[in-house]
Amino acid sequence: MGKFNFIKTEIPEVQVIEPTVFGDDRGYFMETYQIDDFAAAGIDKPFVQDNQSRSTKGVLRGLHFQKNHTQGKLVRVTLGEVFDVAVDCRPHSATFGKWVGVTLSAENKKMLYIPEGFAHGFVVLSDVAEFCYKCTDVYDPTSEGGIPYDDPTVNVQWPDCGCEHKTSAKDKEHTPFAEQKFEFFEKY
């Protein structure tokens, strides 16, 4: 196996990445990104911004996207565990409106690549989680968009985290999926 194992999901553009982990009784080492290996797997956009968040159990962030400065994201968890979701919002895609989800944790060290044209969100399953991600474009607060996490058209099957979901007030105000045109994602 190379440094990374790239696994296509039910939506082929969304990939799970399993890094090769080298470890012994002293700890471990792994590469989390290497431009040539990622380009060979079809992930060839430059990353221009890194973000990190810390959340407690039950926090549900998303489902977010940017209308302009559309971001592809390479996401991973460095502490705890989350269920991470990508929703295809590309109007001309064969998988428009479909979603994929994967559990990411500090223990399994998996990463998920979500390309431009997707909404993204996650729910924290552990007591606390630290979530890190690289973005292909900069954050633009004037360009924010989203889908309700409990949208009936998309119907994400969020796992039971053992408590109520904690969402932001802003996330409760997103327009339902069926009422959006997503014209800003037509180029993807």
Side-chain angles (χ1 to χ4, degrees), residues 4-178:
F4 302 97
N5 183 23
F6 294 89
I7 304 163
K8 295 193 182 292
T9 65
E10 297 85 20
I11 302 174
E13 298 88 349
V14 178
Q15 296 186 52
V16 174
I17 298 113
E18 295 176 335
T20 299
V21 180
F22 303 94
D24 57 27
D25 60 350
R26 301 171 299 148
Y28 73 89
F29 171 84
M30 66 183 196
E31 286 186 20
T32 59
Y33 175 75
Q34 204 284 344
I35 191 168
D36 293 335
D37 291 340
F38 275 65
I43 303 169
D44 56 359
K45 305 276 177 144
F47 292 105
V48 299
Q49 180 176 321
D50 281 10
N51 299 322
Q52 182 168 338
S53 67
R54 183 178 177 102
S55 304
T56 56
K57 188 174 200 165
V59 168
L60 197 153
R61 297 185 184 271
L63 299 158
H64 302 146
F65 56 78
Q66 288 192 165
K67 300 170 187 173
N68 300 303
H69 296 281
T70 303
Q71 297 176 317
K73 297 176 181 176
L74 177 62
V75 303
R76 65 191 180 101
V77 171
T78 57
L79 175 71
E81 181 177 67
V82 308
F83 183 71
D84 197 75
V85 171
V87 179
D88 192 345
C89 297
R90 302 168 300 165
H92 303 299
S93 168
T95 55
F96 177 66
K98 305 291 184 205
W99 65 274
V100 293
V102 63
T103 299
L104 305 176
S105 70
E107 186 176 321
N108 72 21
K109 297 178 182 40
K110 291 179 181 179
M111 297 180 280
L112 188 67
Y113 177 69
I114 303 125
E116 294 87 348
F118 284 73
H120 171 253
F122 65 89
V123 64
V124 178
L125 304 175
S126 53
D127 289 338
V128 66
E130 288 187 0
F131 190 85
C132 301
Y133 55 108
K134 301 175 102 39
C135 302
T136 61
D137 207 336
V138 296
Y139 171 68
D140 176 10
T142 66
S143 183
E144 291 180 341
I147 302 164
Y149 79 92
D150 57 353
D151 187 278
T153 301
V154 177
N155 195 28
V156 172
Q157 298 300 301
W158 298 100
D160 181 9
C161 60
C163 62
E164 294 283 324
H165 290 146
K166 300 172 214 165
T167 60
S168 70
K170 181 171 55 173
D171 283 350
K172 293 176 182 173
E173 297 175 3
H174 293 308
T175 303
F177 185 89

